[in-house]
C-alpha cells in the first residue's frame, strides 16, 4: 500500500495523457484507409497513363512506355478483351479504363467504410 498517487486511476498532471485503445484503433483504420486509397489511385493512374500514352502514339520501344504497358497489362489482366472493337483507341480506352474505374470505386469504397467504422 505504498502508492505515490494521491488517487489511483487518475493521470498525474506532469505527464501527458495516454491514448486509449479507441483512439489507437481509429488512427490505425485511418492509416489503412489511406493506404488502400493510395494503392487504388496508383493503379488507376498507371492504367490512365497507359491509355494516354497509347492514344498519343508513344514510342513502344521506350523503356518507360514498356514499363507502363507491362504494369497496365498486369493490372488489367482480368479484364483483357472484354470489349472487342475494330477501333484500337476505343478498345484500349474501354479495356483499360474499366479496370481503372473499378479499382477507384472499390478502393475508395473500402476506405470510406473503414473511416466510418
Amino acid at each position: 500500500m505504498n502508492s505515490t498517487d494521491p488517487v489511483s486511476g487518475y493521470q498525474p498532471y506532469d505527464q501527458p495523457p495516454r491514448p486509449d485503445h479507441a483512439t489507437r484503433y481509429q488512427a490505425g483504420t485511418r492509416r489503412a484507409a489511406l493506404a488502400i486509397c493510395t494503392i487504388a489511385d496508383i493503379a488507376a493512374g498507371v492504367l490512365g497513363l497507359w491509355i494516354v500514352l497509347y492514344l498519343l502514339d508513344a514510342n513502344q520501344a521506350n523503356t518507360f512506355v514498356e514499363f507502363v504497358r507491362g504494369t497496365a497489362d498486369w493490372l488489367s489482366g482480368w479484364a483483357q478483351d472484354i470489349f472487342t472493337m475494330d477501333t484500337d483507341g476505343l478498345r484500349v480506352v474501354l479495356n483499360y479504363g474499366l479496370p481503372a474505374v473499378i479499382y477507384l470505386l472499390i478502393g475508395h469504397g473500402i476506405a470510406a467504410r473503414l473511416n466510418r467504422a
Side-chain angles (χ1 to χ4, degrees), residues 21-36 114-115:
H21 293 291
T23 306
R24 284 188 202 165
Y25 177 76
Q26 187 177 22
T29 56
R30 288 191 190 278
R31 277 190 228 117
L34 179 63
I36 291 169
L114 284 173
N115 280 330

Side-chain angles (χ1 to χ4, degrees), residues 4-26:
T4 58
D5 289 337
V7 179
S8 63
Y10 287 99
Q11 194 72 17
Y13 291 112
D14 60 344
Q15 295 178 357
R18 289 178 282 161
D20 60 343
H21 293 291
T23 306
R24 284 188 202 165
Y25 177 76
Q26 187 177 22

Side-chain angles (χ1 to χ4, degrees), residues 85-96:
M85 313 280 187
D86 291 333
T87 308
D88 287 337
L90 182 60
R91 182 182 45 80
V92 168
V93 168
L94 292 175
N95 284 328
Y96 289 94

Side-chain angles (χ1 to χ4, degrees), residues 29-107:
T29 56
R30 288 191 190 278
R31 277 190 228 117
L34 179 63
I36 291 169
C37 274
T38 303
I39 291 168
D41 290 345
I42 290 171
V46 168
L47 291 167
L49 180 61
W50 169 243
I51 292 170
V52 170
L53 289 174
Y54 184 85
L55 292 176
L56 295 176
D57 289 327
N59 180 8
Q60 301 279 331
N62 183 291
T63 307
F64 177 71
V65 176
E66 286 179 3
F67 171 76
V68 172
R69 181 179 183 170
T71 307
D73 283 342
W74 183 77
L75 287 170
S76 65
W78 56 271
Q80 287 297 318
D81 297 328
I82 288 179
F83 302 100
T84 55
M85 313 280 187
D86 291 333
T87 308
D88 287 337
L90 182 60
R91 182 182 45 80
V92 168
V93 168
L94 292 175
N95 284 328
Y96 289 94
L98 177 66
V101 170
I102 289 175
Y103 286 139
L104 286 174
L105 289 175
I106 290 174

